[in-house]
């Protein structure tokens, strides 16, 4: 007898033309996420089977964070003979409580001499003989799945829900503006879920922002990495630009101009590093810089698509996701970000583009931006190192 993990692809099987690419990407991602585990993977067009010598429950926990997986089952593999199957069924049912059941047999090995209907009858009768219960094909307490395949028969009962979505990477790369707040990690998670392979861009302004603020971002990145396996963080030295803004811009426009600078850097860096889109955690109306009028003026500095996965969610809805994915507790740690230091009392909510251009004329931001980009620090290898950083 052999215990193994069976993976169901779900949504991706509907994309027929790209199916092989989807499955290959999913396999690569699984290997990435399970890089510390001894595993062996077999796959076909509808299923993947993973064997492991490690603790199977731990491996399943990690797999629950892999996008593109819709169902995970721990199953038992036996030889393709009826007696072995019967023995295994009894073994599995030994500690299950149920009154009604259904057999769901599949004959994926077309050379197997007994057909599906007959298999259902054989095993249905066998369970009735051995356990006090009855058959209910419409609403059973448990379904006993029996899949006869060339390499053996897989028998399983419970299916664990997978993370859904598409395998990370099938859409290419995106650059997530990651701050230490609640919103941007959630935005990153949602982009990963749709198959975007994200890397993170963080603007830091030491000594105005602390090492703890930076470590908080690295910790958030390491949590996102559990869903990706491929995260990097690019750290932009933003102090000089921020100081020039405070010197040269009227109070109420400081945030607007600062965000235009962030977008300029994100956009230019994306073009140099081949990120197709920018992703951020803006939510319509949440703060002055996120009114539609502000967004238009800020967005004006880039021609790359800016995707805002949480744009239309309420804060409470964003918090609910943050809790689910495990970023909330870190996000609420009280270390100040560069957006919150020197916050003006009355930031403009309907900025004018002409005024922005006038203020920006006061200093040589192009040179400062070039300098900042040339001094970006890249942090890689989030598999283990940053979990306990705070
Ligand atoms: P909160 O969850 O408290 O709103 P936030 O990180 O969303 O925090 P905002 O001021 O609302 O903060 O910023 C909007 C978006 O701009 C963020 O979601 C993030 O994508 C980006 N951003 C803000 N500050 C930074 C930063 N220091 N580095 C990178 N991106 C940033
Ligand atoms: Mg926000």
């Amino acid at each position: 007898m052999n215990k193994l993990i069976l993976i169901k692809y779900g949504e991706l099987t509907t994309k027929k033309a790209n199916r092989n690419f989807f499955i290959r990407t999913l396999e690569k991602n699984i290997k990435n996420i399970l890089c510390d585990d001894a595993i062996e993977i077999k796959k076909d067009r509808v299923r993947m089977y993973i064997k492991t010598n490690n603790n199977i429950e731990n491996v399943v926990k990690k797999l629950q964070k892999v996008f593109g997986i819709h169902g995970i089952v721990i199953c038992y593999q036996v030889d393709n003979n009826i007696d072995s199957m019967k023995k295994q069924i009894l073994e599995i049912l030994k500690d299950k409580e149920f009154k009604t059941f259904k057999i769901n047999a599949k004959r994926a090995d077309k050379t197997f001499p007994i057909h599906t209907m007959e298999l259902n009858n054989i095993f249905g009768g066998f369970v009735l003989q051995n356990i006090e219960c009855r058959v209910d094909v419409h609403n059973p307490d448990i379904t006993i799945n029996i899949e006869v395949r060339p390499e053996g028969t897989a028998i399983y009962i419970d299916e664990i829900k997978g993370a859904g979505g598409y395998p990370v990477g099938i859409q290419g790369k995106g650059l997530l503006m990651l701050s230490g707040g609640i919103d941007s990690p959630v935005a990153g998670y949602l982009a990963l879920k749709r198959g975007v392979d994200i890397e993170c861009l963080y603007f830091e302004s030491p000594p105005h922002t602390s090492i703890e603020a930076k470590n908080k971002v690295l910790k958030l990145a390491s949590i996102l990495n559990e869903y990706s396996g491929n995260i990097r963080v690019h750290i932009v030295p933003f102090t000089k630009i921020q100081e020039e803004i405070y010197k040269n811009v009227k109070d109420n426009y400081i945030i607007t101009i600062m965000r235009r600078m962030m977008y300029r850097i994100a956009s230019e860096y994306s073009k140099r590093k081949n990120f197709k889109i920018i992703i951020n955690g803006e939510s319509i109306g949440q703060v002055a810089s996120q009114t539609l009028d502000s967004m238009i003026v800020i967005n004006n500095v880039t021609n790359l698509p800016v995707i805002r996965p949480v744009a239309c969610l309420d804060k409470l809805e964003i918090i609910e996701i943050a809790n689910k994915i495990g970023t909330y507790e870190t996000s609420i740690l009280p270390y100040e970000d560069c957006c919150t230091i020197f916050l003006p009392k009355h930031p403009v909510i309907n900025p004018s583009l002409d005024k922005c251009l006038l203020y920006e004329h006061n200093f040589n931001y192009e040179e400062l931006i070039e300098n900042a980009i040339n001094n970006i620090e890249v942090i890689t290898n989030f598999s283990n190192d940053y979990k306990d950083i705070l």
Side-chain angles (χ1 to χ4, degrees):
M1 192 264 292
N2 233 329
K3 229 174 172 183
L4 47 80
I5 300 167
L6 183 158
I7 302 281
K8 297 184 174 178
Y9 308 146
E11 193 173 355
L12 66 83
T13 57
T14 58
K15 301 271 185 288
K16 286 215 165 59
N18 290 323
R19 187 182 289 186
N20 285 340
F21 176 55
F22 279 51
I23 296 171
R24 273 203 316 274
T25 309
L26 180 61
E27 184 185 17
K28 191 180 92 203
N29 294 349
I30 288 175
K31 283 183 175 161
N32 245 344
I33 297 244
L34 298 179
C35 62
D36 296 329
D37 299 276
I39 55 158
E40 187 190 314
I41 298 184
K42 275 197 181 153
K43 59 179 192 295
D44 61 33
R45 288 169 67 78
V46 286
R47 298 269 196 276
M48 202 175 279
Y49 297 89
I50 303 177
K51 268 190 193 165
T52 176
N53 294 327
N54 293 34
N55 180 318
I56 205 161
E57 275 76 24
N58 276 347
V59 171
V60 167
K61 251 192 208 137
K62 292 184 195 171
L63 287 170
Q64 280 181 279
K65 294 185 173 174
V66 178
F67 293 119
I69 296 179
H70 285 247
I72 304 167
V73 283
I74 297 177
C75 63
Y76 298 81
Q77 185 162 291
V78 295
D79 296 339
N80 287 349
N81 84 63
I82 297 291
D83 283 342
S84 311
M85 297 178 202
K86 283 181 173 172
K87 211 168 136 210
Q88 189 59 54
I89 290 172
L90 275 192
E91 182 64 28
I92 295 177
L93 294 181
K94 206 171 61 188
D95 40 40
K96 296 269 174 224
E97 279 193 19
F98 63 98
K99 290 201 174 70
T100 58
F101 76 100
K102 165 185 161 181
I103 301 284
N104 179 27
K106 274 203 188 99
R107 195 178 61 115
D109 177 3
K110 296 298 174 208
T111 65
F112 193 70
I114 305 173
H115 285 239
T116 306
M117 281 301 283
E118 211 181 328
L119 285 171
N120 282 334
N121 287 337
I122 292 174
F123 294 119
F126 174 71
V127 172
L128 288 172
Q129 267 169 20
N130 285 279
I131 297 171
E132 207 182 298
C133 58
R134 61 193 164 76
V135 173
D136 181 346
V137 289
H138 299 297
N139 194 19
D141 293 338
I142 59 169
T143 300
I144 303 162
N145 299 282
I146 300 158
E147 292 186 17
V148 184
R149 317 179 62 81
E151 67 275 16
T153 296
I155 304 176
Y156 62 91
I157 297 195
D158 303 313
E159 180 165 333
I160 302 159
K161 206 165 175 270
Y166 294 132
V168 171
I170 59 157
Q171 292 290 345
K173 292 180 88 68
L175 187 62
L176 169 72
M177 295 168 68
L178 180 65
S179 66
I182 296 167
D183 305 326
S184 49
V186 171
Y189 164 85
L190 292 173
L192 285 166
K193 185 170 186 193
R194 298 314 291 170
V196 184
D197 187 8
I198 61 165
E199 295 191 14
C200 309
L201 190 69
Y202 169 59
F203 297 87
E204 71 161 351
S205 294
H208 312 300
T209 57
S210 63
I211 183 78
E212 284 86 0
K214 173 180 172 179
N215 288 344
K216 184 177 165 188
V217 169
L218 296 179
K219 170 128 189 202
L220 289 169
S222 82
I223 298 172
L224 284 179
N225 194 53
E226 291 168 18
Y227 301 89
S228 154
N230 220 6
I231 293 280
R232 292 166 170 215
V233 177
H234 306 256
I235 301 179
V236 186
F238 201 53
T239 314
K240 247 221 118 62
I241 296 176
Q242 221 172 345
E243 287 173 353
E244 284 303 308
I245 294 172
Y246 291 117
K247 264 189 237 156
N248 292 292
V249 177
K250 204 177 147 209
D251 254 23
N252 58 342
Y253 267 73
I254 281 177
I255 294 287
T256 315
I257 304 291
M258 188 178 81
R259 300 200 58 78
R260 280 165 61 87
M261 295 300 161
M262 285 181 168
Y263 269 54
R264 283 190 172 102
I265 292 172
S267 181
E268 179 56 30
Y269 195 58
S270 292
K271 285 174 189 165
R272 291 186 197 178
K273 297 282 177 186
N274 293 321
F275 294 106
K276 293 180 184 173
I277 56 167
I278 296 169
I279 301 144
N280 69 33
E282 290 174 340
S283 176
I284 298 171
Q286 193 185 79
V287 288
S289 61
Q290 291 164 35
T291 61
L292 291 185
D293 289 329
S294 284
M295 280 181 174
I296 291 164
V297 168
I298 291 166
N299 210 138
N300 186 265
V301 299
T302 178
N303 52 13
L304 279 188
V306 179
I307 305 289
R308 302 170 175 89
V310 302
C312 297
L313 298 186
D314 291 349
K315 194 75 187 187
L316 285 178
E317 291 170 314
I318 300 172
I319 288 174
E320 199 179 314
I321 302 175
N323 268 317
K324 186 181 88 179
I325 66 175
T327 53
Y328 183 72
E329 292 303 325
T330 305
S331 288
I332 58 172
L333 294 172
Y335 307 123
E336 283 207 296
D337 180 53
C338 67
C339 280
T340 45
I341 50 170
F342 313 123
L343 199 67
K345 269 211 176 75
H346 301 292
V348 60
I349 57 171
N350 52 354
S352 108
L353 185 57
D354 288 343
K355 276 194 183 163
C356 289
L357 295 173
L358 265 178
Y359 290 132
E360 287 170 359
H361 206 69
N362 289 343
F363 63 108
N364 187 354
Y365 67 82
E366 275 157 353
E367 193 183 315
L368 292 172
I369 284 179
E370 184 60 32
N371 243 320
I373 291 179
N374 290 335
N375 288 293
I376 285 177
E377 176 196 0
V378 186
I379 299 194
T380 53
N381 190 11
F382 277 84
S383 56
N384 288 315
D385 304 357
Y386 294 92
K387 288 203 169 69
D388 303 316
I389 197 163
L390 284 172

